[in-house]
Amino acid sequence: MVSESASAATDAGGRGLPSVHAFQVDLRGIVDLLSHHLYSSPRVFVRELLQNAVDAITARRAVDPGSPAVVRILADGARVQVRDSGIGLTEDEVHRFLATIGRSSKRGALGGDAESVLELGRGDFLGRFGIGLLACFVVADEICVVTKSAVDADAPAVEWRGAADGHYDIRILAPEESPAEPGTIVTLKPRHGQEFWFQAPRVVELARDFGSLLPYETVLEDEAGYTYRITETPPVWDREYSSPGTRFEALAAYCQDTLGFAPLDIIELNIPLLGIKGAAYILPTAATTSEQGGHRVHIKGMLLTDQARGLLPDWAFFVRCVIDTDALRPTASREALYEDDRLAAVREALGNRVRDWLAGLAATDPPRLNRLLVVHYLGVKALARFDDDLFALTLPWLPFETTAGRLPLTAFADQHRVIHLTAGDEEFQQVSQIAAAVGLGVVNGGYTYDADLVRKLPRALPGVTVLDLDPETIAAHLDTVDTAEETVAGPLLATARRVLDALDCDVALRAYHPVTIPALLLDGREARHERARADAEAEAAADGDDLWAGILGALRTVGPRARLVLNHRSPLIQGLIELDDAELAATGIEAVYGQALLLSKRPIRSSESALLNRAFLGLLGFAVGRRQEPETEEED
């Protein structure tokens, strides 16, 4: 609700002056919405003042392209004043602007929605101007606007003065009070406790953060008369440089100043179709898929956010962007981006630009690509999963863990035309040393994206075959033991089967290298699934969940069991074969199983943990001549 009163005024000569109009608007609700439910920080008041000034200059230049374009800010702790050379307002426009504020204050009609409040005034110049001033009441106790129209030369200058409690006065200024040139002067006086925001160093920091890329010259003067340049026009990416190296250094320095890191590399962004200019910076250290965001987005020169998310495809998590565009739509608070078709188009275009840059490096500058992949191979692998051309281009540099060490698949395929792929890191750790010794080519499929890429290899390298690794494949490459020697080892094998049967593990005797590995634990996927099921069944039974334990029990499968393959070439196994002490041999088998289990790096079950503890104590007791006696229950 807006109420109005008017009073007559005269000048010193008794001549009549236009009436002074006083208004009362209840702004308490709307200011509360803006400060507590829409804006994340009071700092936005500087942005809103700058936006009003820029909009006013843009409006004037649409009428008079040769008009001056400058924004001057004064900050001295007691006030913040912004003066622009824009289009100004007539008395009628000030009244319309006041009506905008009046409508904006009707909280009930808007359902109390802060975004609706802002959207009400975003459709035209006066609405944006009014909403910008409302935002300033977050820190200001009083706002004074002095404005002179550049369109109507005969229109008098107007003063609009308002307080946070809702009182507004409109006064027509006498000629001697009027500004000499068209434009608008907005002066803020701080609310109690908000003086911090009016200090010159703070205002300089905020103005540069929000407005460094604004298209019009902007300067700030402090209480001592020192002038600070706010805008950095033209932007660093639009300047001329003496050489590509100098240009790279300037863009890198800008990244250090704005994003806080020295980039590993730089991708320049210039997409005229979407009105995008800027730069994409490659992070200097490895990132993960969870570390997305941190992009700095300007809309027509004004900073929208320095924490934009969704600007790039998910795979480009190793890139941070600084862009200026007019293609994206900000939310009502102008602190984030709407997720709409525009953002989707920008995301696709920027993703294509990064992809084309990577492909260009692969084709023309392999050493530079290699430096990138040393740090960010994970991101490039993520993209290569869906881009066959990029996969083929980057294949000579993408590293994979293999039985020949960490190297690209092209080099590994030169050694092995048949490549075996493990289901995960656990399986790879079980077999890697033995596979290398018997000449099998195995790649660890446990890393992110690696299994998908290895399976694509035959399309990029015809003649190469990729197979899922099966434990039987490893066993088939191990040397068999002579029948007579296996007969000699019969007692040890019988002891081993007795000890390990409770662990659902078979025993075999083979000869293989290296001899430093006394036993190999081969554990196929079906066996691992059955073990996981059995563990879950035991846990459910221990928790008293008989129903779930019964269901899991019904799912039990009879398939391949884990297998402990003893190495006949190992001196340790030879020693156990020759051992006459059956009890000590059993303890030795437990210890060998435990060592093979640790080598496989698979999770250890409680029964296996007990076995490891028992074997350790048993061997220690034998070493000191004090064997561990088995515990017996006392009779009641």
Side-chain angles (χ1 to χ4, degrees):
M1 182 67 183
V2 180
S3 59
E4 177 182 357
S5 62
S7 60
T10 59
D11 62 12
R15 294 185 298 272
L17 289 177
S19 299
V20 175
H21 297 266
F23 296 83
Q24 173 69 40
V25 181
D26 184 5
L27 287 178
R28 289 170 296 182
I30 194 66
V31 171
D32 176 72
L33 283 174
L34 291 173
S35 59
H36 295 105
H37 302 286
L38 191 67
Y39 295 126
S40 61
S41 167
R43 66 198 299 269
V44 297
F45 85 96
V46 173
R47 183 194 66 194
E48 294 298 331
L49 289 174
L50 288 174
Q51 190 67 62
N52 278 351
V54 168
D55 288 346
I57 293 174
T58 301
R60 182 176 180 183
R61 286 210 149 185
V63 178
D64 179 11
S67 61
V70 62
V71 179
R72 301 186 183 280
I73 308 171
L74 174 65
D76 58 11
R79 60 176 173 165
V80 168
Q81 184 179 90
V82 177
R83 179 191 299 261
D84 68 65
S85 59
I87 197 166
L89 301 174
T90 64
E91 180 185 6
D92 179 63
E93 288 170 335
V94 170
H95 281 280
R96 285 166 51 202
F97 143 66
L98 179 62
T100 297
I101 291 182
R103 288 198 304 272
S104 300
S105 68
K106 294 180 181 178
R107 187 173 178 182
L110 297 169
D113 184 345
E115 293 210 6
S116 299
V117 171
L118 246 65
E119 285 301 322
L120 179 69
R122 291 297 188 200
D124 54 52
F125 172 73
L126 290 178
R128 289 194 300 271
F129 184 87
I131 294 299
L133 285 190
L134 279 178
C136 294
F137 276 119
V138 174
V139 296
D141 191 53
E142 180 183 281
I143 301 175
C144 177
V145 178
V146 174
T147 183
K148 183 177 182 180
S149 175
V151 177
D152 187 350
D154 296 328
V158 181
E159 179 189 82
W160 173 91
R161 187 181 297 271
D165 63 2
H167 287 90
Y168 292 81
D169 294 325
I170 295 178
R171 183 168 69 93
I172 306 304
L173 298 180
E176 61 272 16
E177 298 178 282
S178 299
E181 299 294 334
T184 300
I185 305 169
V186 179
T187 305
L188 275 59
K189 291 186 178 180
R191 293 172 57 187
H192 179 68
Q194 301 297 322
E195 294 83 1
F196 164 76
W197 298 102
F198 285 65
Q199 301 298 319
R202 183 60 172 159
V203 179
V204 169
E205 177 189 354
L206 294 176
R208 285 177 172 167
D209 193 34
F210 285 116
S212 63
L213 301 186
L214 290 176
Y216 309 127
E217 179 187 0
T218 303
V219 296
L220 182 145
E221 182 179 330
D222 64 13
E223 61 270 24
Y226 186 83
T227 299
Y228 301 83
R229 182 178 175 84
I230 301 301
T231 47
E232 300 176 6
T233 52
V236 62
W237 45 77
D238 281 339
R239 300 173 193 171
E240 296 292 332
Y241 297 94
S242 59
S243 68
T246 304
R247 182 177 184 85
F248 186 96
E249 290 175 0
L251 288 168
Y254 182 78
C255 177
Q256 183 71 67
D257 291 342
T258 57
L259 300 182
F261 64 85
L264 182 65
D265 216 323
I266 301 172
I267 308 170
E268 294 202 45
L269 304 174
N270 186 3
I271 309 175
L273 185 63
L274 293 175
I276 293 175
K277 283 193 173 184
Y281 295 102
I282 309 299
L283 293 171
T285 56
T288 65
T289 54
S290 62
E291 299 176 46
Q292 300 181 41
H295 304 295
R296 190 175 178 89
V297 177
H298 299 256
I299 304 292
K300 297 180 181 179
M302 183 68 73
L303 177 68
L304 177 76
T305 177
D306 59 2
Q307 291 297 320
R309 296 186 176 273
L311 191 66
L312 288 176
D314 290 344
W315 55 260
F317 51 83
F318 55 95
V319 179
R320 296 292 179 269
C321 289
V322 180
I323 67 168
D324 187 20
T325 180
D326 56 7
L328 296 174
R329 181 184 174 209
T331 58
S333 65
R334 291 194 285 183
E335 294 181 325
L337 296 169
Y338 268 116
E339 181 63 52
D340 56 13
D341 291 343
R342 298 182 190 180
L343 180 56
V346 168
R347 180 163 50 238
E348 181 180 4
L350 292 178
N352 288 339
R353 179 69 186 94
V354 176
R355 183 260 179 213
D356 292 344
W357 178 79
L358 289 170
L361 288 187
T364 64
D365 198 346
R368 190 173 170 190
L369 175 65
N370 192 43
R371 289 195 299 271
L372 169 72
L373 292 179
V374 167
V375 180
H376 294 301
Y377 62 88
L378 191 61
V380 178
K381 283 182 176 181
L383 174 57
R385 285 188 305 159
F386 308 107
D387 192 318
D388 289 348
D389 292 338
L390 185 67
F391 175 61
L393 285 169
T394 57
L395 197 53
W397 294 277
L398 289 174
F400 291 79
E401 186 176 13
T402 76
T403 45
R406 192 165 181 80
L407 73 169
L409 290 178
T410 48
F412 193 60
D414 289 339
Q415 306 170 28
H416 304 279
R417 304 308 287 177
V418 177
I419 294 177
H420 296 272
L421 179 67
T422 66
D425 182 64
E426 174 186 325
E427 188 175 19
F428 181 82
Q429 299 302 332
Q430 288 179 9
V431 304
S432 58
Q433 293 186 43
I434 306 301
V438 299
L440 275 178
V442 182
V443 177
N444 189 344
Y447 291 100
T448 306
Y449 312 129
D450 281 15
D452 292 339
L453 293 176
V454 173
R455 291 192 175 97
K456 290 177 60 166
L457 191 59
R459 299 207 296 267
L461 297 177
V464 173
T465 302
V466 175
L467 301 174
D468 288 337
L469 182 67
D470 189 289
E472 295 304 320
T473 303
I474 296 293
H477 282 75
L478 304 180
D479 295 336
T480 58
V481 178
D482 181 84
T483 303
E485 293 177 327
E486 188 163 7
T487 300
V488 173
L492 178 66
L493 294 176
T495 298
R497 292 187 181 100
R498 175 178 56 82
V499 169
L500 299 179
D501 185 65
L503 298 173
D504 203 27
C505 181
D506 289 332
V507 180
L509 183 66
R510 296 290 187 272
Y512 50 87
H513 292 283
V515 298
T516 53
I517 297 180
L520 172 66
L521 184 61
L522 294 179
D523 195 4
R525 299 173 194 180
E526 292 182 17
R528 287 198 299 273
H529 291 159
E530 172 56 24
R531 186 172 65 250
R533 185 212 59 79
D535 289 344
E537 179 186 357
E539 183 179 352
D543 292 341
D545 191 345
D546 295 336
L547 176 61
W548 183 235
I551 293 173
L552 291 172
L555 295 176
R556 176 170 182 159
T557 60
V558 179
R561 304 205 302 173
R563 184 186 307 173
L564 184 68
V565 183
L566 302 178
N567 187 358
H568 191 259
R569 292 194 176 106
S570 166
L572 177 60
I573 298 301
Q574 286 295 323
L576 290 176
I577 291 174
E578 297 169 3
L579 195 62
D580 292 330
D581 190 329
E583 182 183 343
L584 183 57
T587 302
I589 287 295
E590 290 181 335
V592 167
Y593 176 86
Q595 189 269 346
L597 177 64
L598 295 174
L599 181 65
S600 73
K601 297 186 178 180
R602 81 179 194 194
I604 298 176
R605 296 182 291 176
S606 57
S607 58
E608 293 169 333
S609 178
L611 177 143
L612 287 170
N613 185 60
R614 184 169 62 248
F616 172 77
L617 292 178
L619 292 175
L620 185 60
F622 176 79
V624 299
R626 299 289 184 90
R627 293 200 177 190
Q628 184 86 358
E629 296 294 335
E631 293 185 3
T632 58
E633 295 183 3
E634 295 182 1
E635 296 183 1
D636 294 335

